[in-house]
Amino acid sequence: GMAVVTGRPKKDCDKFLKLHKIDHLFDVCVCMEDGPPKPDPFPVQRALELMNKQPGKDVIMVGDTPDDIRAAIACGCRGIGVATPENVKKQTEEGKAHDTCALSVAMKECGADIVMEPGFDAMIDLF
């Protein structure tokens, strides 16, 4: 199963998922109101609890900030970073790799296995 773990309010999360017609893909949403924010491992742990799953290296947290990666690692899961579209555009214009911007480097320093390019296609190819 899949979950959303966000520091945004639940109403924003629900609105985004419905707007993009992807709400049916997620079993659980853990939002700002549910407890301490990332980098605390609580939201990741809570999502796993609600899905009746245990933390482990077979659980992957995909995120676009160092706090996402910190939360995953602190929970005992794998962290996969995603470069933001803005950073990828800037890096491409400068002739640099997508994962060399400061944010991507920070995610790797926090323990991200990799930092992938944005987009669902990149994620599907990864798994």
Side-chain angles (χ1 to χ4, degrees), residues 81-85 88 92 97-99 114-123:
V82 180
T84 64
V88 170
T92 300
H98 76 276
D99 61 351
I114 63 162
V115 176
M116 62 184 195
E117 293 188 55
F120 192 66
D121 292 341
M123 194 179 321

Side-chain angles (χ1 to χ4, degrees), residues 10-27:
K10 179 152 180 51
K11 66 178 178 70
D12 290 357
C13 180
D14 290 344
K15 180 179 177 181
F16 177 88
L17 295 176
K18 287 181 177 135
L19 176 69
H20 295 284
K21 298 179 172 65
I22 57 174
D23 52 314
H24 65 282
L25 297 175
F26 297 93
D27 303 317

